[in-house]
Amino acid sequence: MTPTTDENVRAFLIAAHGDLENTKRLLAEHPEWLDITYEWAENNTETPIQAAAHVGNRPIAEYLLEQGAPLAIYTAAMLGRRDDVLRMLADDPETANARGGHGIPLISHAAMSGDVAIMQAIADAGGDLSGASGALFGAIGSGSIDMVTWLLANGADDLTVTNFQNKTLVQVATERGHEDIVALLKAHGAE
């Protein structure tokens, strides 16, 4: 059995980003880690489901939910669970400005769903759209030209933004084979 040490919890959180089998194995050994919070740095924390949600890893997020992880609005948004998002917004409009792991804004999670109705509901509830340019990466990841179009019309005006790998929007869209999105970005001035 893997002992509960800071290093092992960190390894579990890393697995929760993209290694389903390791996530399953470690969680089977340590069910108490299901909703554990790991502090990467001061004011930079993350739970396993937040890890899966902010990278758009649907299989891991769904697995963690099946195991009993709490469903937060950012996870529901990433998964495209429109009814859940709408219910959460109706129950508490302040959730329109929720942040997931590492403080990543809700709109970045919603962009990954490709569901423009979710994004519009967040905006209608007063969600902060100042991160719209960064959210374009999530929309590109989902391959949703409709979401890219919505973001461009609603605050995504910095098309020089780069991701954590220092890649541009056009580079990421090209690598993913989304030529229609590349053309749209270039039509709006991206290089």
Side-chain angles (χ1 to χ4, degrees):
M1 179 181 231
T2 306
T4 300
T5 65
D6 191 59
E7 183 178 315
N8 289 336
V9 171
R10 181 180 186 278
F12 176 59
L13 264 291
I14 290 171
H17 286 83
D19 185 343
L20 179 58
E21 293 312 309
N22 222 9
T23 299
K24 287 180 177 180
R25 179 183 65 77
L26 289 166
L27 191 58
E29 290 180 18
H30 292 282
E32 72 276 13
W33 289 358
L34 179 63
D35 198 32
I36 197 164
T37 299
Y38 184 79
E39 187 170 2
W40 295 98
E42 189 174 337
N43 298 318
N44 184 357
T45 62
E46 181 176 55
T47 65
I49 193 126
Q50 288 175 330
H54 85 78
V55 298
N57 194 309
R58 287 172 168 77
I60 293 177
E62 292 287 0
Y63 170 75
L64 293 169
L65 289 171
E66 289 167 9
Q67 302 311 303
L71 177 65
I73 193 167
Y74 43 80
T75 305
M78 181 277 290
L79 292 170
R81 294 173 64 161
R82 186 185 304 168
D83 291 343
D84 289 319
V85 172
L86 295 176
R87 178 183 46 77
M88 291 175 190
L89 289 170
D91 290 349
D92 182 4
E94 288 299 312
T95 60
N97 290 302
R99 291 184 173 270
H102 307 294
I104 296 171
L106 176 59
I107 65 166
S108 292
H109 293 82
M112 289 184 260
S113 74
D115 188 332
V116 172
I118 289 175
M119 190 67 84
Q120 187 62 56
I122 292 166
D124 291 346
D128 180 5
L129 301 180
S130 64
S133 295
L136 283 167
F137 287 107
I140 292 166
S142 73
S144 175
I145 195 161
D146 292 338
M147 183 64 77
V148 172
T149 301
W150 190 94
L151 288 166
L152 288 169
N154 290 279
D157 53 6
D158 179 5
L159 302 184
T160 64
V161 57
T162 57
N163 68 7
F164 70 100
Q165 296 172 316
N166 206 31
K167 293 183 179 180
T168 67
L169 296 162
V170 170
Q171 286 173 319
V172 173
T174 299
E175 288 173 1
R176 293 184 176 248
H178 301 310
E179 293 308 317
D180 54 344
I181 294 175
V182 170
L184 179 60
L185 291 169
K186 287 184 175 182
H188 280 80
E191 296 181 16

